Amino acid sequence: MRKLLTGALIASLSVSVVTPKVSADERSNQAYTQKELEEEMTPVFMEMEINGNEAILDYEVYNLNGRTMMPLRAMSELFGWKVAWDQDSYTATIQNQEHVMSIEPGEYEAYFDGVQESIDTPAVIYKDRTFIPLRKAAEWFAFTIGWEKENYKITLTTNETEEEATEEKPPEHEFRRFKGLPVLPRVEAPVRRAVYVENAEFVDQRRMFVSDNPEVLSHMTVRGENGVLWEDEINTTEKRTQEYRIFGYHLNRIAQDVYIGITIENHSTENSLYISELKGTTQIGRMQNPMYDVGLPLAVDAMTGNMRKLPQQDNMIGPGESVTLDRFRLDPDQLVSFLHDLTVSKRGGGALNFSLRTVVSKNPTKDLETIQGDILPLDYRRHPRGTWEGSIIQSTLPEYTAGAEIESFMISNGVTDNLMSKEASTIPELTQANIGHFGAVYRVRIPVTKTTPGTDVIEVKMTPRGGNYSGVLKTRAGTFVIPVTNAAKESILIYRQAVTQGESVLEFDMMHAGGSSTPLAISVETLDGNVPVQIVR
């Protein structure tokens, strides 16, 4: 079935600034009269794919002078960028935390970050909307555009790490401690080569529930008053209890407050549900510095056991009942990340049968537990969503012999340790893989053997390979913060450990901060004896 190239494409690149009605006589700089636009603006029917995902096109897109034209606001809303219309200067402005673009209908120039750029087809106002050429917009918004003639399909891809790489770091003095934790040192010795880890497995049975898509909540991604962000249903007679870890990460780009909730519905007509061990941590902030403001504090709370116990009026949920376990209000442009653990048990006979959901509403008086129905469509971005059978991943590296050459291995690589894949989720067709294992704990074990007498120093480093990275690392000695680290330019020193003849195991747990990029390279090497040991004791 053909799809109209309108808002979805635009949904990926647009925002529909509803501009005032203006005739050609009123504005001398209009390149086309309204009559000419009526004659020359031809509706375009095509399919669109953005970063490998099919786009739902629900705004009209047109061909003008051989160029595909799409609504400006629809394009920007999909990215969560702000759009403003200045009637006095007759200019539309799009802005995110890093870039500003302004364009005046009828002009053959536009301004991007204050630099004038030429365009061969000007923006136009048609049917009370501002339209701009798709190809130029793709360049502005860091897209690569392709055309599949045989399928009549446009493909758009974007480098998501480019924007993350510009994130500012806090002042250097803040690197010493973060939320009371020591910060691991950076070193100017990045790992250059690494192979994929050879094995990975879940080592727990706590179900991992991830709600991070659509990450940007806008009028394009939440089109009604309410919506289900993600859902997991259990229906089994084989067990009485199910443990969960719930991770969420959402940004409000709707021009009003929104309300996000974690809800549970008991489908059983025979038994009640009992909620126990409900605890969580929630961070709300802005997008100026999401790793330090939101992602890293959340990981610190989780890895230090500081998730707070959540109060409940009643831990028991009767047959057919629904309750809201927690809820969050987001102002416009606020970002929320939450991590909650809980255990659901049945009391009585029959099946353990319930649905756990994350939901969103634009209505402040809405009872969130009443929101049901279809899960919202995935947006084009690669943010994760799904449910998987574990929340702790363990990789054991090949045995390292002290004195051998440096060895490096890639974790959260999307291939050999991709346990949170689309196919492994409970609803594959509505899932986006959690390649970066956000919300989960990643455990690395490094067996070390020393065959000769004396003492050697083993050094373990971590290097981001996909973009800027931050997280929390835990060893037997304590918990440490990994500061924002530049991909392929800096490494983090994890261990310098003295080893003697025999066998030992170096082990650490990690949690990636929301907003970070993966994969990560873990290197192991032997140093000479003239270096300090036990950087991490």
Side-chain angles (χ1 to χ4, degrees), residues 271-518:
N271 59 56
S272 296
L273 297 178
Y274 182 75
I275 307 299
S276 60
E277 301 176 25
L278 176 60
K279 56 186 178 180
T281 177
T282 304
Q283 300 293 329
I284 296 177
R286 304 280 176 179
M287 281 298 289
Q288 283 81 359
N289 208 342
M291 269 193 273
Y292 272 99
D293 293 344
V294 175
L296 193 53
L298 190 90
V300 167
D301 285 349
M303 295 294 281
T304 56
N306 285 331
M307 294 197 295
R308 64 185 176 89
K309 185 176 181 180
L310 299 179
Q312 290 180 267
Q313 293 182 350
D314 191 350
N315 291 344
M316 199 73 71
I317 305 171
E321 292 182 350
S322 300
V323 300
T324 298
L325 301 175
D326 205 357
R327 63 181 285 149
F328 325 101
R329 180 181 64 82
L330 291 186
D331 297 337
D333 300 322
Q334 279 192 323
L335 169 72
V336 65
S337 186
F338 50 89
L339 190 71
H340 286 51
D341 288 345
L342 72 152
T343 300
V344 184
S345 305
K346 69 173 183 176
R347 294 290 189 267
L352 178 65
N353 187 7
F354 63 89
S355 286
L356 189 67
R357 301 184 181 98
T358 49
V359 299
V360 61
S361 179
K362 304 171 188 176
N363 182 353
T365 63
K366 181 68 174 179
D367 291 329
L368 299 181
E369 63 267 20
T370 64
I371 300 175
Q372 301 177 10
D374 294 338
I375 299 170
L376 293 176
L378 290 163
D379 68 17
Y380 77 92
R381 297 173 177 86
R382 297 176 182 176
H383 302 303
R385 182 174 78 179
T387 306
W388 295 275
E389 293 301 325
S391 65
I392 302 176
I393 296 172
Q394 177 174 290
S395 285
T396 301
L397 305 188
E399 184 177 82
Y400 177 76
T401 301
E405 296 293 323
I406 184 172
E407 296 181 7
S408 301
F409 300 90
M410 201 91 74
I411 68 169
S412 293
N413 57 59
V415 182
T416 57
D417 61 356
N418 190 20
L419 301 183
M420 296 183 179
S421 66
K422 179 177 180 178
E423 294 74 19
S425 178
T426 53
I427 314 177
E429 65 274 16
L430 296 177
T431 291
Q432 184 71 1
N434 189 10
I435 293 173
H437 305 124
F438 293 104
V441 171
Y442 201 116
R443 178 171 298 156
V444 177
R445 302 183 76 252
I446 309 171
V448 177
T449 299
K450 179 171 169 53
T451 59
T452 59
T455 300
D456 283 331
V457 176
I458 304 299
E459 181 177 83
V460 180
K461 293 184 297 188
M462 181 276 292
T463 304
R465 299 298 292 269
N468 283 358
Y469 175 84
S470 181
V472 177
L473 181 140
K474 187 174 184 179
T475 71
R476 294 184 183 94
T479 305
F480 305 83
V481 167
I482 301 172
V484 173
T485 308
N486 289 325
K489 296 179 181 179
E490 299 173 313
S491 293
I492 292 295
L493 186 55
I494 297 176
Y495 272 107
R496 274 184 186 160
Q497 179 70 52
V499 297
T500 56
Q501 189 172 12
E503 297 179 350
S504 57
V505 176
L506 304 180
E507 181 175 302
F508 56 89
D509 289 352
M510 301 176 66
M511 179 173 285
H512 310 321
S516 295
S517 296
T518 57

Side-chain angles (χ1 to χ4, degrees), residues 131-261:
F131 286 79
I132 61 175
L134 169 59
R135 182 167 294 277
K136 194 62 181 178
E139 295 173 1
W140 283 333
F141 301 148
F143 275 88
T144 298
I145 187 169
W147 172 247
E148 296 181 6
K149 184 176 180 180
E150 65 278 9
N151 298 322
Y152 213 64
K153 178 192 292 185
I154 285 178
T155 60
L156 294 172
T157 55
T158 185
N159 183 358
E160 294 179 342
T161 64
E162 198 172 279
E163 186 171 315
E164 296 166 347
T166 64
E167 181 172 341
E168 293 184 3
K169 299 175 183 178
E172 193 66 29
H173 67 81
E174 294 187 17
F175 289 156
R176 297 170 189 154
R177 298 191 75 82
F178 184 90
K179 292 195 72 173
L181 296 181
V183 177
L184 292 174
R186 299 192 194 91
V187 292
E188 297 292 333
V191 177
R192 298 298 181 187
R193 296 181 180 179
V195 299
Y196 292 152
V197 292
E198 295 181 355
N199 62 77
E201 60 180 343
F202 286 124
V203 292
D204 73 330
Q205 296 181 338
R206 182 180 292 276
R207 214 164 165 96
M208 187 77 222
F209 178 114
V210 176
S211 175
D212 186 15
N213 195 315
E215 179 175 295
V216 177
L217 305 178
S218 69
H219 291 298
M220 301 298 300
T221 57
V222 185
R223 298 178 184 178
E225 184 178 77
N226 312 299
V228 177
L229 296 168
W230 184 240
E231 177 176 351
D232 184 48
E233 182 176 350
I234 294 288
N235 187 4
T236 180
T237 57
E238 296 181 359
K239 56 184 176 181
R240 302 184 62 86
T241 299
Q242 179 62 59
E243 295 180 315
Y244 274 97
R245 165 155 287 184
I246 304 170
F247 173 75
Y249 195 92
H250 296 285
L251 172 65
N252 178 18
R253 290 300 196 191
I254 300 173
Q256 65 179 87
D257 293 351
V258 299
Y259 303 83
I260 294 175

Side-chain angles (χ1 to χ4, degrees), residues 33-78:
T33 67
Q34 291 299 309
K35 182 178 180 181
E36 289 172 334
L37 289 178
E38 291 288 348
E39 295 174 351
E40 299 186 32
M41 289 280 278
T42 306
V44 178
F45 296 90
M46 64 183 70
E47 294 182 355
M48 172 168 285
E49 189 175 90
I50 304 173
N51 284 340
N53 296 313
E54 182 184 10
I56 303 171
L57 309 180
D58 58 359
Y59 283 80
E60 289 187 342
V61 171
Y62 294 86
N63 181 285
L64 176 64
N65 192 30
R67 295 295 187 191
T68 300
M69 307 290 289
M70 60 183 167
L72 179 62
R73 183 173 294 277
M75 189 162 42
S76 300
E77 281 187 350
L78 185 69

